[in-house]
């Protein structure tokens, strides 16, 4: 072997030996504890972290931001295995006590072992929309510990392996939690404001408007573009704060991620502001950005035979597109009549040429007949009221209109007309009847 090659070989051998020694020392340091000892150390680490925050911890938990929003939870842990907990899941923001434990398995996990507010998200019988029946809000009550970063505790959910961070809570987080639920009503909207909204995107140069729809029970919003040449959509889960909302995933505008929207009470708008003129705002508008021809499905003519659409108690009632006004009218009817309205079912283009809405209560139904008038310019449909009947046969006896149905029926028979449009729901085809003059909207199951 040449002397030069021998010299290179000796150098490589020397460096390899040094590297091996370093790796060996690092490995010895890393594995100077048994697996059980390492897990016990991690258990103590998590326990110390949980107890270290003077006012406990806060987590904004987005269980599945592809279809659900976020829920704020507050936790104050005690050394005796007790935890005080509050959430903005609903209007009850009181603090409740329960048990927790730190469990050792293949990793360390925090488990809320007795029922508390966090379990509302994991109860499979507690579902926000029909498409999530048997799945609930897809939440968890066991969280795998992944360490601490910048004062935050990092977990991953056991069910979906999504990251969840606990941040240190403040006194105000506890005292002001009820303000989150007040903000929830602002996201839903006041009965005095329009039902129609838009998401206005400003990329610093151009402004684009997207149709915006929010479903309160799942806390989820969908925004779709209506402009030709601008194909964009945003689906976002929404969580409430005392000053506005947080959205997940972020609304990305010109490579900027906008997540925090601030509420303006004077206009009812929510605005997120970036840099260099970038912004996104949820605003009210007087009419839908999209006017469809769906109303023509209700008219007599070729291809439009007998068809039916219905509100169904405990089914379509759960859909977020139902307006607060509609739901309040249902409540008024139940209080006045002593039982809930089971169905408000519209029948169009019957064999005898009639149309009517059937109001069904158990085994009793009331039928209000009407004729149709279409507005092809504004793309609306108007129901012109006719007689009330005791049966679905037009020869059935005429009856006096039930007084407890008057307010709801007046919304349907609005002389200014209704918008009729298909909406996306999970599990079935649905349309909405929406007033052109009041904040009234009803989701209807399509039997076609």
């Amino acid at each position: 072997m040449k002397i030069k090659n021998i010299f290179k070989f000796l150098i490589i051998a020397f460096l390899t030996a040094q590297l091996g020694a370093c790796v060996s020392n690092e490995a010895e340091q890393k594995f100077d504890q048994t697996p059980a000892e390492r897990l016990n150390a991690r258990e103590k680490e998590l326990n110390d972290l949980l107890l270290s925050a003077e006012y406990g911890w806060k987590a904004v938990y987005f269980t599945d931001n592809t279809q659900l929003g976020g829920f704020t939870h507050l936790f104050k842990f005690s050394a005796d295995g007790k935890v005080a907990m509050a959430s903005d899941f609903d209007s009850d923001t009181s603090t409740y006590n329960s048990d927790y434990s730190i469990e050792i398995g293949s990793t360390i996990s925090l488990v809320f072992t007795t029922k508390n507010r966090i379990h509302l998200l994991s109860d499979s019988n507690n579902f926000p929309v029909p498409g999530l029946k048997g799945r609930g809000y897809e939440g968890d009550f066991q969280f795998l510990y992944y360490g601490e970063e910048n004062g935050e505790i990092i977990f991953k959910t056991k069910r979906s392996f999504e990251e969840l961070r606990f941040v240190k809570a403040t006194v105000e987080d506890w005292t002001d939690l009820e303000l989150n639920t007040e903000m929830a009503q602002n996201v839903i909207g006041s009965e005095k404001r329009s039902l129609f909204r838009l998401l206005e995107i400003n990329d610093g140069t151009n402004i684009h408007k997207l149709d915006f729809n929010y479903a309160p029970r799942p806390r989820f919003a969908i925004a779709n573009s209506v402009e030709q040449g601008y194909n964009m959509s945003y689906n976002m889960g929404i969580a409430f704060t005392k000053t506005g909302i947080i959205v997940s995933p972020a609304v990305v505008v010109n490579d900027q991620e906008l997540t925090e929207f601030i509420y303006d009470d004077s206009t009812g708008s929510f605005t997120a502001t970036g840099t260099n003129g970038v912004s996104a705002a949820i605003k009210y508008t007087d009419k839908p950005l999209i006017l469809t021809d769906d109303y023509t499905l209700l008219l007599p003519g070729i291809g439009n035979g007998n068809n039916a659409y219905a509100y169904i108690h405990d089914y379509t009632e759960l859909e977020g597109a139902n307006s607060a006004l509609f739901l309040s009218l249902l409540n008024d009817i139940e209080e006045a009549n002593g039982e809930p309205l089971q169905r408000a079912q519209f029948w169009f283009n019957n064999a005898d040429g009639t149309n009517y809405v059937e109001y069904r209560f158990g085994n009793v139904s009331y039928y209000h007949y009407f004729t149709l008038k279409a507005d092809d310019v504004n793309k609306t449909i108007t129901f012109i009221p006719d007689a009330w009947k005791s049966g679905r046969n037009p020869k059935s006896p005429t009856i006096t209109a039930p007084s407890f149905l008057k307010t709801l029926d007046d919304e349907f028979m609005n002389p200014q007309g209704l918008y009729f449009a298909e909406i996306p729901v999970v599990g079935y085809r649905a349309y909405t009847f929406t007033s052109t003059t009041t904040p009234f909207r009803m989701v209807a199951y399509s039997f076609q």
Side-chain angles (χ1 to χ4, degrees):
M1 183 180 293
K2 293 182 179 180
I3 294 177
K4 183 171 65 174
N5 292 338
I6 292 173
F7 181 70
K8 289 182 178 179
F9 175 80
L10 291 174
I11 291 177
I12 292 172
F14 175 77
L15 293 175
T16 301
Q18 291 298 311
L19 179 60
C22 292
V23 171
S24 176
N25 289 336
E26 290 176 1
E28 288 172 3
Q29 292 172 4
K30 183 176 181 180
F31 294 104
D32 60 355
Q33 295 177 313
T34 66
E37 289 173 334
R38 288 197 298 274
L39 285 173
N40 288 334
R42 292 282 282 178
E43 178 188 23
K44 182 180 185 306
E45 177 181 294
L46 175 57
N47 184 67
D48 291 345
L49 279 171
L50 294 177
L51 300 177
S52 67
E54 181 179 3
Y55 302 110
W57 298 89
K58 178 174 73 172
V60 181
Y61 185 11
F62 285 87
T63 58
D64 178 2
N65 67 3
T66 67
Q67 59 183 330
L68 293 165
F71 302 84
T72 298
H73 286 75
L74 300 173
F75 312 96
K76 184 69 172 70
F77 298 92
S78 301
D80 60 358
K82 299 294 183 181
V83 58
M85 190 185 307
S87 84
D88 68 355
F89 179 85
D90 51 29
S91 60
D92 183 2
T93 56
S94 301
T95 301
Y96 295 91
N97 295 313
S98 59
D99 299 324
Y100 78 95
S101 66
I102 298 175
E103 296 190 357
I104 300 178
S106 59
T107 186
I108 300 298
S109 62
L110 169 65
V111 184
F112 296 100
T113 53
T114 57
K115 191 173 183 179
N116 207 323
R117 303 294 286 168
I118 195 77
H119 293 83
L120 292 169
L121 301 178
S122 60
D123 183 355
S124 61
N125 293 317
N126 181 33
F127 52 92
V129 292
L132 288 171
K133 186 174 183 179
R135 296 160 57 190
Y137 283 83
E138 301 202 318
D140 215 331
F141 54 86
Q142 181 171 0
F143 305 98
L144 310 179
Y145 174 54
Y146 273 76
E148 180 265 346
E149 183 179 76
N150 298 325
E152 300 177 357
I153 307 177
I154 305 171
F155 293 101
K156 289 192 177 181
T157 59
K158 184 178 180 181
R159 175 186 286 188
S160 59
F161 214 59
E162 294 292 329
E163 183 176 280
L164 177 67
R165 293 192 174 223
F166 282 22
V167 301
K168 287 185 177 180
T170 65
V171 172
E172 290 76 18
D173 286 327
W174 293 89
T175 58
D176 295 348
L177 186 60
E178 64 179 353
L179 298 180
N180 287 21
T181 63
E182 294 178 13
M183 187 59 62
Q185 186 57 51
N186 294 327
V187 181
I188 294 170
S190 166
E191 291 186 11
K192 297 179 180 180
R193 298 190 191 273
S194 170
L195 282 176
F196 309 115
R197 279 170 162 168
L198 59 87
L199 175 64
E200 185 176 272
I201 299 295
N202 187 337
D203 63 12
T205 303
N206 300 303
I207 294 177
H208 303 283
K209 296 181 178 181
L210 296 85
D211 184 54
F212 181 88
N213 289 284
Y214 172 68
R217 288 176 62 87
R219 300 188 180 181
F220 197 74
I222 297 173
N224 294 308
S225 58
V226 298
E227 304 172 28
Q228 284 189 340
Y230 181 74
N231 186 21
M232 182 61 70
S233 64
Y234 297 97
N235 297 341
M236 65 195 85
I238 288 178
F240 312 127
T241 70
K242 64 181 181 182
T243 59
I245 60 175
I246 298 170
V247 303
S248 178
V251 173
V252 179
V253 183
N254 203 11
D255 296 328
Q256 297 185 37
E257 294 187 352
L258 305 178
T259 59
E260 186 174 359
F261 288 68
I262 304 303
Y263 178 64
D264 179 1
D265 186 59
S266 64
T267 62
S269 62
F270 292 83
T271 303
T273 304
T275 60
N276 299 320
V278 167
S279 66
I282 301 166
K283 298 181 176 182
Y284 285 96
T285 179
D286 292 334
K287 65 180 182 179
L289 291 185
I290 304 173
L291 294 176
T292 75
D293 291 325
D294 290 346
Y295 72 98
T296 60
L297 297 172
L298 310 180
L299 302 174
I302 298 175
N304 290 357
N306 173 247
N307 49 23
Y309 307 87
Y311 153 77
I312 303 173
H313 181 58
D314 287 339
Y315 196 68
T316 62
E317 184 179 4
L318 297 176
E319 296 296 348
N322 287 311
S323 71
L325 175 57
F326 170 61
L327 296 176
S328 70
L329 294 180
L330 291 178
N331 185 65
D332 293 343
I333 289 171
E334 183 171 356
E335 289 185 357
N337 190 47
E339 61 178 316
L341 176 65
Q342 295 297 326
R343 289 199 184 196
Q345 184 158 324
F346 285 83
W347 301 80
F348 296 95
N349 306 317
N350 296 300
D352 54 17
T354 62
N355 312 284
Y356 57 80
V357 53
E358 174 191 0
Y359 297 102
R360 187 184 303 176
F361 298 87
N363 296 323
V364 177
S365 291
Y366 306 91
Y367 300 84
H368 193 185
Y369 283 73
F370 57 85
T371 56
L372 299 173
K373 182 177 69 174
D375 183 336
D376 295 327
V377 175
N378 294 306
K379 299 185 182 298
T380 61
I381 191 79
T382 301
F383 304 151
I384 303 170
D386 203 338
W388 284 80
K389 300 281 186 176
S390 61
R392 63 181 61 195
N393 189 322
K395 296 181 179 179
S396 298
T398 299
I399 61 172
T400 301
S403 59
F404 53 84
L405 288 174
K406 184 180 188 308
T407 307
L408 175 61
D409 191 74
D410 284 348
E411 292 291 346
F412 293 135
M413 306 297 158
N414 183 349
Q416 302 303 314
L418 304 170
Y419 297 108
F420 180 75
E422 186 172 5
I423 62 166
V425 298
V426 177
Y428 63 96
R429 194 174 187 183
Y431 290 78
T432 53
F433 292 93
T434 306
S435 174
T436 58
T437 57
T438 70
F440 174 88
R441 180 168 55 213
M442 181 189 82
V443 176
Y445 179 97
S446 172
F447 288 92
Q448 287 58 250

